[in-house]
Amino acid sequence: MGLFRRRPKLPPADRPPLATDERVLAWAAVGDGRDGGVVVASNLGLWLPGREHRLGWHDVLKAVWSGRELTVTPAEPLAERDGYLVVADRPAERHLLLDPGELPHQVRQRVTRSVAYTQHHPLPGGAGRVAARRVPGVDGLTWTVRLDPGTPTDDPEVLAETDRLVAEARAATAPADV
């Protein structure tokens, strides 16, 4: 008998509607596993109970594993700007995982791997984080500005500064001409 217990396959009834090129990496039943649903990590994102659609890795602003509970904070798009999205935190979703298996590791690895650039900056009336994320199947980087709570979302000074910060970050991360 080996040192590691092999995890059973995801039951067909719990399998989310995966895309053709999507594959399950890890999964865990929520709560005692009776009817709380499952959390499924795929190569393209995270399937959470109660959601009909996958949450792309680039849309996870924060994921925290407590040892028993996975807390996921998704991004909420507020405005589309020239070449980037302004986002804020959606309410955090908490899922008790009594037998998490590889799920927390896969979530951490995939969210971390999606981040290509991140920098926090002061803004008029608050602050925000400029980030560039890798999105599976998309060439280049996807840029966002996550405004800290309380930062005005429609202030012209804030928007002008976020435009400048994103342009500066893009220039700093652009590949050198070959």
Side-chain angles (χ1 to χ4, degrees):
M1 195 153 178
L3 293 174
F4 298 102
R5 185 183 77 185
R6 185 167 183 116
R7 188 168 202 62
K9 288 185 90 170
L10 179 62
D14 292 328
R15 194 172 185 80
L18 302 174
T20 304
D21 59 343
E22 188 172 13
R23 68 186 192 289
V24 172
L25 302 172
W27 66 276
V30 174
D32 62 10
R34 290 195 186 135
D35 58 359
V38 295
V39 176
V40 177
S42 79
N43 57 313
L44 300 179
L46 195 58
W47 293 89
L48 299 170
R51 287 179 170 259
E52 293 182 16
H53 301 284
R54 170 190 349 98
L55 183 62
W57 295 118
H58 63 286
D59 291 323
V60 176
L61 292 178
K62 185 169 32 170
V64 178
W65 173 242
S66 72
R68 287 178 51 88
E69 191 173 71
L70 178 67
T71 303
V72 178
T73 304
E76 178 174 358
L78 298 177
E80 189 169 340
R81 302 286 296 163
D82 186 24
Y84 70 97
L85 282 176
V86 178
V87 301
D89 294 6
R90 277 197 171 147
E93 299 179 31
R94 290 176 174 77
H95 302 283
L96 177 65
L97 308 176
L98 299 178
D99 184 13
E102 283 292 308
L103 186 72
H105 170 74
Q106 285 293 332
V107 170
R108 179 181 177 90
Q109 183 178 43
R110 297 288 169 158
V111 170
T112 301
R113 195 182 299 168
S114 76
V115 178
Y117 173 92
T118 181
Q119 185 70 46
H120 195 259
H121 298 277
L123 294 169
R129 178 168 299 282
V130 175
R133 307 285 291 266
R134 295 175 191 89
V135 179
V138 176
D139 286 339
L141 299 173
T142 299
W143 290 85
T144 60
V145 173
R146 180 206 163 268
L147 298 176
D148 288 358
T151 303
T153 61
D154 55 0
D155 183 301
E157 285 184 65
V158 171
L159 297 175
E161 183 64 3
T162 59
D163 287 347
R164 185 189 73 73
L165 291 169
V166 171
E168 191 177 275
R170 282 177 175 241
T173 59
D177 289 337
V178 178

